[in-house]
Amino acid sequence: MLRQALNIPNLLSLLRLAGVPVFLWLLLGPREDGWALALLVFSALTDWLDGKLARWLNQMSRLGQLLDPAADRLYIAATLVAFLVRGIVPWWVVAPLVLRELVVGVCLVVLRRHGFLPPDVTYAGKAATFVLMYAFPLLLLTQGGSAVAAVARPFAYAFTAWGCVLYLWSGALYVIQTISAVRGAARTPVM
């Protein structure tokens, strides 16, 4: 059991989780945006790689199914908070995304209370995470008055807008899945 849990994809997810406090420190402590950007890109690459390796090496596990989205959500939440504190994004961008996380968290509690596992990750959820993982490094690149910042700015804003819409849509899909599951369980007669 432990051997199955300590596979390469899960170790990559644990490495991503360990990078979150370092990422926050880089952004909020010494404001080393270059290193924070590198860590964010590394996180996105290992996010992609752990899924590919899990399928390729046939090392999919329940722990991996929990770790991967947890790492994604933690990076997204940490990035949003750090960007808000630094003034990189306004509160009205952060608030709906944080609210989405709280709503999804409530859905998970409701599902567990009714004996359900968390719903499968939807394509919209994967796409939202993918787009936001592009938006965040681009938003970091927009800091300052350099030519790189000027070029990155429209792309950063476009990816941020599209990622936010997809992220909220995927949250709505989780709510719909939760309601359907709970209603279906309520209609099923107990024998």
Side-chain angles (χ1 to χ4, degrees), residues 113-135:
R113 190 168 173 216
H114 285 86
F116 293 105
L117 293 172
D120 290 334
V121 176
T122 62
Y123 180 75
K126 287 181 182 183
T129 300
F130 179 79
V131 173
L132 287 175
M133 288 299 185
Y134 270 92

Side-chain angles (χ1 to χ4, degrees), residues 15-25 39 43 70-71 74-75 78-79:
L15 185 62
R16 277 191 10 248
L17 283 169
V20 172
V22 176
F23 173 73
L24 281 172
W25 176 77
L39 187 56
S43 169
L74 194 55
Y75 254 106
T79 304

Side-chain angles (χ1 to χ4, degrees), residues 73 100 102-120 122 170-187:
R73 284 195 173 112
R100 181 255 191 213
L102 294 173
V103 169
V104 168
V106 168
C107 287
L108 294 175
V109 169
V110 168
L111 286 170
R112 183 160 304 246
R113 190 168 173 216
H114 285 86
F116 293 105
L117 293 172
D120 290 334
T122 62
S170 69
L173 292 177
Y174 283 120
V175 170
I176 292 167
Q177 287 177 320
T178 301
I179 291 169
S180 295
V182 170
R183 281 186 180 165
R187 284 192 290 258

Side-chain angles (χ1 to χ4, degrees), residues 22-105:
V22 176
F23 173 73
L24 281 172
W25 176 77
L26 288 168
L27 274 180
L28 300 176
R31 293 189 176 211
E32 291 287 344
D33 291 355
W35 286 108
L37 176 66
L39 187 56
L40 197 55
V41 169
F42 176 77
S43 169
L45 289 173
T46 56
D47 181 27
W48 172 81
L49 187 60
D50 72 4
K52 288 290 183 194
L53 286 175
R55 288 183 289 281
W56 185 57
L57 299 173
N58 196 26
Q59 292 184 342
M60 293 170 282
S61 67
R62 183 69 188 135
L63 178 62
Q65 290 173 334
L66 296 173
L67 278 178
D68 185 52
D72 291 343
R73 284 195 173 112
L74 194 55
Y75 254 106
I76 288 170
T79 304
L80 289 171
V81 168
F83 282 8
L84 180 64
V85 169
R86 290 268 310 269
I88 295 171
V89 293
W91 70 268
W92 51 267
V93 170
V94 174
L97 300 180
V98 170
L99 181 61
R100 181 255 191 213
E101 283 304 312
L102 294 173
V103 169
V104 168

